[in-house]
Amino acid sequence: MASNAQHLLKSHQLRLTDMRMKVLDLFLARAEALSQNDLEQQLGKVDRITLYRTLRTFEEQGLIHKAMDGTDKQKYALCQHDCGQGAHHDHHAHFHCDTCGKTICVEDIAAPLIAPPPGFSVSETHLVIRGQCDQCH
Ligand SMILES: [Zn+2]
Ligand SMILES: [Zn+2]
Ligand SMILES: [Zn+2]
């Protein structure tokens, strides 16, 4: 698992730091979106600012993307595509389970291309599905 995180960091031109390896390992181990709070709970005592910066760096470098799930929690999920610096291709739906609270990427369902009203421009489109996951049925 550690080598996987190392490989990902290197392929995104990121220096290997302890925090980056640990955070990435958690994303790789859990097949769901994680909030900063989730990560703090898993990591134990960590510097919150370093963790925040790590998430921002990962997002900027195309390792993780925002997984909007209709709740007020900002969650992130591992990018599956070849996202790179400032270029994300994760235009898919996110499923939020109302029972256990987990959020997962639904790669098979693409977010629709929106034609905005005249004079408006779109910067982000999010497709959120809510319901119950296969564990909670
Ligand atoms: Zn991405
Ligand atoms: Zn569930
Ligand atoms: Zn996603």
Side-chain angles (χ1 to χ4, degrees), residues 97 100 133 136:
C97 176
C100 67
C133 73
C136 294

Side-chain angles (χ1 to χ4, degrees), residues 32-33 38 67-75 93-106 127-134 136:
E32 61 182 275
D38 295 333
M68 297 291 184
D69 65 0
T71 71
D72 54 4
K73 262 196 184 177
Q74 177 62 71
K75 290 186 177 181
H94 290 101
F95 190 102
H96 178 74
C97 176
D98 287 324
T99 304
C100 67
K102 85 173 161 205
T103 303
I104 60 159
C105 295
V106 188
L127 180 58
V128 179
I129 307 165
R130 296 180 72 156
Q132 283 190 313
C133 73
D134 53 356
C136 294

Side-chain angles (χ1 to χ4, degrees), residues 53-125:
R53 287 204 188 116
T54 300
L55 291 173
R56 264 194 41 182
T57 303
F58 281 2
E59 195 193 354
E60 282 166 10
Q61 297 298 320
L63 276 168
I64 58 173
H65 59 277
K66 286 196 180 90
M68 297 291 184
D69 65 0
T71 71
D72 54 4
K73 262 196 184 177
Q74 177 62 71
K75 290 186 177 181
Y76 296 92
L78 213 54
C79 293
Q80 300 293 328
H81 310 281
D82 28 337
C83 296
Q85 189 177 8
H88 282 280
H89 312 289
D90 318 277
H91 306 300
H92 52 249
H94 290 101
F95 190 102
H96 178 74
C97 176
D98 287 324
T99 304
C100 67
K102 85 173 161 205
T103 303
I104 60 159
C105 295
V106 188
E107 305 278 340
D108 294 344
I109 303 176
L113 278 176
I114 304 292
F120 289 68
S121 69
V122 176
S123 55
E124 293 180 25
T125 306

